[in-house]
């Protein structure tokens, strides 16, 4: 787990080192163990890497990493959980390895299968790979968008980074995206591809960007789409398949050369992870949780059941009001993008670091793919509400209750509107009033997001439709994004076994 940055096709060679070092330094928290830089003035490529070492802790894991000819250069953030299987396959094909790292597996997989090698990877990753021979650089993001990767083109330069703060460090006067506040007040987060800064975008998940250094041409390609083709119709078969695949996923996610533990909230997802992890780690099972002084917020009795069953080495951490107030400045500093959540993640990863852990497993994704939220149960009711004439739905704006006001989102008969009824913050009229702008301006911004949703979503079941929006809005833009920047602020990696490629 690391942080990466790069400046491609730069013009001013005299200050390129200062610029790339500035980007790396502002992300020091995400990679405190090591740093590395690569600058090629003939190709006008500058790459930076900050390392949080979890696999191959020696200097053999240093990045940027090169192949044996120095023609392939890689900076990589994330983990490839099936790297050992791919490594064995490559060894059988005649490849030799200097290290035990998944980083070197990416390089040799690329040499064997080209950029299509990414279809073989099961993990969370964002990386930049330079191929000097064909003079191309590839930016790649994992199939679930677990790891962030932002990019922009400014004055013919391609600039990329793991965090938005690196762009601001490069240019403190970077112009704001004038619409970001509208999206934030509607959603409670910034839905991709929206960011706070003008002309900076996240690389779409399950995609790669190809930049030709000789022609300066850029193209992006989607390499993975989650299918909706059902092949299992027997419940017991489905149960066995999920059980088997989840166990394999957790086993993969437990691979680490550094101390690793599990978040144990007391809910079904984290309890399952802990129970399944026990046989793989034995007496080294470490769990942690947050507890509150107010009993009505405590899930301690459920945590105790799992702790007593597994014999886990458990640490509970209390968060009090003064802890929140004392840490608030640092919490706001840690936020790479605005969010209405993430404070819980700030504290649990802070405690994980104090506990001596470098990586932790989390249950993110379980509710989204297995229907754990109330939104799944409301789906059919929402469909009934959408049959009401638009003029009647619009009257909800006159009701004092904010939750009822959100019924106005159903006028558009879109999945985004359904999502905002469940999870939205303010209505279009309220946002316009708060920002002192016209409702038409807010509507235009809102329609931009509606147009991003695939049209074929109207043809799938209610529950699948809810799952799509929970995964691609709430999970993608809030849970995963918040978890990444808060955990990396404390130099802790969070792994999400329920988002394993095979399990999905």
């Amino acid at each position: 787990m690391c942080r990466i940055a790069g400046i491609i096709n730069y013009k001013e060679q005299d200050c390129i080192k200062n610029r790339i070092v500035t980007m790396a330094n502002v992300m020091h928290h995400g990679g405190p163990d090591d740093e590395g830089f690569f600058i090629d003035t003939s190709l006008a490529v500058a790459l930076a890497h900050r390392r949080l070492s979890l696999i191959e802790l020696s200097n053999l894991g240093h990045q940027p990493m090169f192949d044996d000819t120095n023609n392939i250069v890689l900076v990589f953030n994330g983990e490839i959980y099936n790297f050992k299987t791919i490594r064995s396959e490559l060894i059988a094909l005649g490849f030799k390895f200097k290290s035990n790292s998944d980083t070197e597996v990416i390089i040799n997989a690329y040499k064997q299968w080209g950029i299509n090698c990414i279809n073989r990877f099961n993990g969370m990753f964002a990386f930049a790979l330079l191929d000097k021979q064909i003079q191309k650089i590839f930016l790649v993001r994992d199939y679930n968008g677990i790891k962030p990767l932002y990019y922009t083109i400014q004055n013919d330069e391609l600039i990329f980074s793991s965090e938005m703060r690196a762009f601001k460090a490069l240019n403190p006067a970077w112009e704001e995206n004038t619409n970001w506040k509208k999206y934030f007040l509607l959603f409670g987060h910034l839905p991709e591809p929206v960011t706070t800064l003008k002309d900076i975008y996240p690389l779409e998940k399950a995609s790669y960007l190809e930049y030709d250094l000789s022609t300066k041409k850029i193209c992006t390609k989607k390499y993975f789409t989650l299918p909706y083709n059902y092949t299992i119709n027997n419940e017991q078969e489905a149960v066995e398949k999920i059980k088997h695949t989840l166990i394999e996923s957790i086993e993969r996610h437990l691979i680490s050369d550094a101390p690793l533990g599990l978040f144990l909230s007391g809910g079904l997802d984290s309890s399952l992870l802990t129970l399944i992890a026990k046989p793989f780690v034995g007496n080294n099972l470490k769990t942690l949780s947050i507890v509150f002084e107010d009993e009505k917020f405590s899930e301690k009795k459920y945590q105790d059941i799992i702790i007593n069953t597994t014999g886990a080495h458990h640490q509970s951490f209390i968060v009090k009001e003064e802890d929140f107030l004392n840490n608030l400045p640092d919490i706001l500093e840690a936020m790479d993008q605005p969010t209405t959540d993430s404070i819980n993640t700030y504290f649990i990863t802070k405690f994980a670091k104090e506990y001596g852990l470098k990586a932790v497993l989390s249950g993110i994704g379980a509710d989204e793919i297995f229907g754990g939220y109330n939104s799944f149960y409301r789906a059919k009711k929402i469909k009934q509400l959408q049959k009401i004439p638009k003029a009647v739905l619009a009257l909800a704006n006159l009701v004092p209750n904010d939750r009822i006001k959100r019924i106005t989102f159903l006028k558009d008969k879109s999945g985004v509107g359904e999502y905002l009824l469940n999870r939205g913050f303010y209505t279009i009229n309220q946002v316009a009033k708060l920002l002192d702008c016209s409702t038409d301006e807010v509507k235009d911004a809102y329609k931009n997001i509606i147009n991003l949703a695939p049209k074929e979503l109207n043809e799938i079941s209610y529950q699948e439709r809810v799952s799509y929006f929970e995964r691609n809005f709430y999970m993608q833009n809030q849970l995963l994004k918040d978890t990444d920047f808060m955990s990396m602020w404390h130099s802790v990696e969070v792994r999400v076994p329920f988002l394993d490629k095979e399990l999905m």
Side-chain angles (χ1 to χ4, degrees), residues 62-73:
H62 176 79
Q63 295 185 47
M65 188 176 283
F66 305 83
D67 75 328
D68 51 8
T69 67
N70 287 331
N71 283 320
I72 309 297
V73 189

Side-chain angles (χ1 to χ4, degrees), residues 187-422:
F187 290 88
H189 59 247
L190 299 186
E192 293 191 0
V194 180
T195 68
T196 51
L197 299 180
K198 186 178 180 181
D199 298 327
I200 298 178
Y201 307 99
L203 180 64
E204 188 181 358
K205 64 182 178 183
S207 296
Y208 69 88
L209 180 151
E210 179 181 318
Y211 183 90
D212 191 312
L213 296 166
S214 56
T215 65
K216 315 305 178 197
K217 286 186 178 179
I218 294 178
C219 67
T220 56
K221 296 180 183 178
K222 192 93 172 168
Y223 67 83
F224 177 80
T225 303
L226 193 65
Y228 286 95
N229 53 331
Y230 310 118
T231 57
I232 299 176
N233 297 300
N234 177 276
E235 183 177 348
Q236 190 55 40
E237 184 185 353
V239 169
E240 290 301 320
K241 183 83 171 178
I242 288 170
K243 179 180 178 181
H244 175 73
T245 312
L246 178 59
I247 290 170
E248 286 188 335
S249 169
I250 293 169
E251 183 181 15
R252 282 192 287 268
H253 281 71
L254 289 168
I255 295 172
S256 176
D257 295 327
L260 179 147
L262 295 94
F263 292 149
L264 178 59
S265 67
L268 285 175
D269 45 14
S270 65
S271 298
L272 265 176
L273 294 183
T274 307
L275 289 165
I276 295 172
K278 169 65 178 176
F280 296 115
V281 297
N283 293 328
N284 290 322
L285 182 63
K286 294 182 178 179
T287 56
L288 70 156
S289 61
I290 288 178
V291 294
F292 301 94
E293 291 180 305
D294 191 331
E295 281 297 315
K296 68 174 177 282
F297 294 119
S298 177
E299 294 184 284
K300 186 177 183 301
K301 63 179 180 180
Y302 302 111
Q303 296 166 8
D304 287 344
I305 292 170
I306 304 302
I307 295 163
N308 293 333
T309 302
T310 59
H313 302 283
H314 185 77
Q315 289 275 355
S316 292
F317 298 88
I318 298 176
V319 177
K320 301 178 182 178
E321 183 180 354
E322 56 263 37
D323 296 318
F324 168 73
L325 295 173
N326 291 338
N327 284 279
L328 186 56
D330 197 52
I331 290 169
L332 294 173
E333 181 91 12
M335 288 183 183
D336 190 49
Q337 289 280 272
T339 178
T340 50
D341 203 345
S342 81
I343 293 171
N344 54 338
T345 309
Y346 173 91
F347 281 109
I348 195 68
T349 51
K350 178 177 184 287
F351 295 142
K353 186 175 184 180
E354 291 176 7
Y355 191 9
L357 302 176
K358 253 192 170 179
V360 283
L361 271 60
S362 163
I364 290 175
D367 286 315
E368 288 79 5
I369 62 176
F370 291 116
Y373 294 130
N374 287 333
S375 53
F376 287 90
Y377 303 101
R378 298 188 195 119
K380 289 186 179 179
K381 292 179 181 178
I382 288 173
K383 279 295 174 188
Q384 294 301 314
L385 282 172
Q386 285 179 323
K387 294 177 182 178
I388 298 173
K390 289 183 179 182
V392 179
L393 290 171
L395 294 175
N397 266 321
L398 304 176
V399 180
N401 187 299
D402 282 345
R403 293 187 69 181
I404 294 176
K405 281 182 187 291
R406 296 206 299 267
I407 289 174
T408 57
F409 284 117
L410 298 182
K411 291 190 301 176
D412 296 301
K413 291 184 168 51
S414 74
V416 179
E418 295 165 16
Y419 171 83
L420 287 175
L421 173 60
N422 284 307

Side-chain angles (χ1 to χ4, degrees), residues 454-483:
K455 299 296 182 282
E456 58 267 24
L457 288 177
N458 295 321
E459 301 168 11
I460 61 178
S461 71
Y462 293 148
Q463 282 79 10
E464 290 286 15
R465 186 176 164 94
V466 175
S467 177
Y468 175 88
F469 285 99
E470 290 288 10
R471 284 187 293 106
N472 288 279
F473 281 83
Y474 181 59
M475 184 185 82
Q476 179 71 61
N477 302 302
Q478 193 141 354
L479 296 183
L480 290 178
K481 194 185 294 182
D482 293 357
T483 296

Side-chain angles (χ1 to χ4, degrees), residues 9-265:
N9 195 33
Y10 56 82
K11 302 295 186 297
E12 300 176 24
Q13 294 189 7
D14 292 343
C15 63
I16 189 59
K17 184 164 185 184
N18 288 338
R19 294 175 69 202
I20 197 68
V21 168
T22 296
M23 293 183 77
N25 283 350
V26 79
M27 298 187 291
H28 175 273
H29 49 271
D33 297 335
D34 191 14
E35 68 174 6
F37 301 94
F38 168 81
I39 298 174
D40 187 320
T41 54
S42 63
L43 293 174
V45 172
L47 303 175
H49 186 265
R50 297 260 8 158
R51 187 183 182 201
L52 178 66
S53 50
L54 283 111
I55 295 174
E56 182 55 271
L57 306 183
S58 75
N59 289 335
L60 293 174
H62 176 79
Q63 295 185 47
M65 188 176 283
F66 305 83
D67 75 328
D68 51 8
T69 67
N70 287 331
N71 283 320
I72 309 297
V73 189
L74 178 69
V75 287
F76 164 52
N77 169 29
E79 307 288 352
I80 306 297
Y81 297 120
N82 63 336
F83 80 96
K84 289 186 176 181
T85 301
I86 300 171
R87 188 177 189 271
S88 297
E89 188 177 355
L90 289 166
I91 289 172
L93 289 168
F95 284 88
K96 299 188 184 307
F97 288 82
K98 300 173 186 174
S99 72
N100 293 312
S101 72
D102 50 351
T103 311
E104 192 176 8
V105 168
I106 295 174
I107 289 175
N108 285 333
Y110 171 79
K111 292 182 75 170
Q112 175 64 28
W113 298 296
I115 195 58
N116 289 330
C117 67
I118 53 182
N119 292 301
R120 295 172 176 263
F121 299 155
N122 187 346
M124 54 179 186
F125 50 86
F127 64 80
L129 185 147
L130 169 66
D131 186 333
K132 293 182 187 177
Q133 283 192 315
I134 61 173
Q135 294 201 3
K136 286 184 178 181
I137 189 163
F138 299 93
L139 305 185
V140 183
R141 192 176 180 202
D142 69 67
Y143 48 89
N144 257 319
I146 303 168
K147 300 318 308 173
L149 189 57
Y150 301 97
Y151 74 97
T152 187
I153 299 171
Q154 299 282 328
N155 302 318
D156 294 327
E157 287 184 338
L158 170 65
I159 308 171
F160 68 86
S161 175
S162 299
E163 296 186 24
M164 290 293 293
R165 73 179 79 239
F167 297 95
K168 195 75 172 175
L170 204 56
N171 177 10
W174 204 296
E175 192 176 345
E176 273 196 359
N177 173 357
T178 54
N179 279 327
W180 78 261
K181 293 175 185 176
K182 300 182 182 73
Y183 293 112
F184 181 63
L185 292 174
L186 284 169
F187 290 88
H189 59 247
L190 299 186
E192 293 191 0
V194 180
T195 68
T196 51
L197 299 180
K198 186 178 180 181
D199 298 327
I200 298 178
Y201 307 99
L203 180 64
E204 188 181 358
K205 64 182 178 183
S207 296
Y208 69 88
L209 180 151
E210 179 181 318
Y211 183 90
D212 191 312
L213 296 166
S214 56
T215 65
K216 315 305 178 197
K217 286 186 178 179
I218 294 178
C219 67
T220 56
K221 296 180 183 178
K222 192 93 172 168
Y223 67 83
F224 177 80
T225 303
L226 193 65
Y228 286 95
N229 53 331
Y230 310 118
T231 57
I232 299 176
N233 297 300
N234 177 276
E235 183 177 348
Q236 190 55 40
E237 184 185 353
V239 169
E240 290 301 320
K241 183 83 171 178
I242 288 170
K243 179 180 178 181
H244 175 73
T245 312
L246 178 59
I247 290 170
E248 286 188 335
S249 169
I250 293 169
E251 183 181 15
R252 282 192 287 268
H253 281 71
L254 289 168
I255 295 172
S256 176
D257 295 327
L260 179 147
L262 295 94
F263 292 149
L264 178 59
S265 67

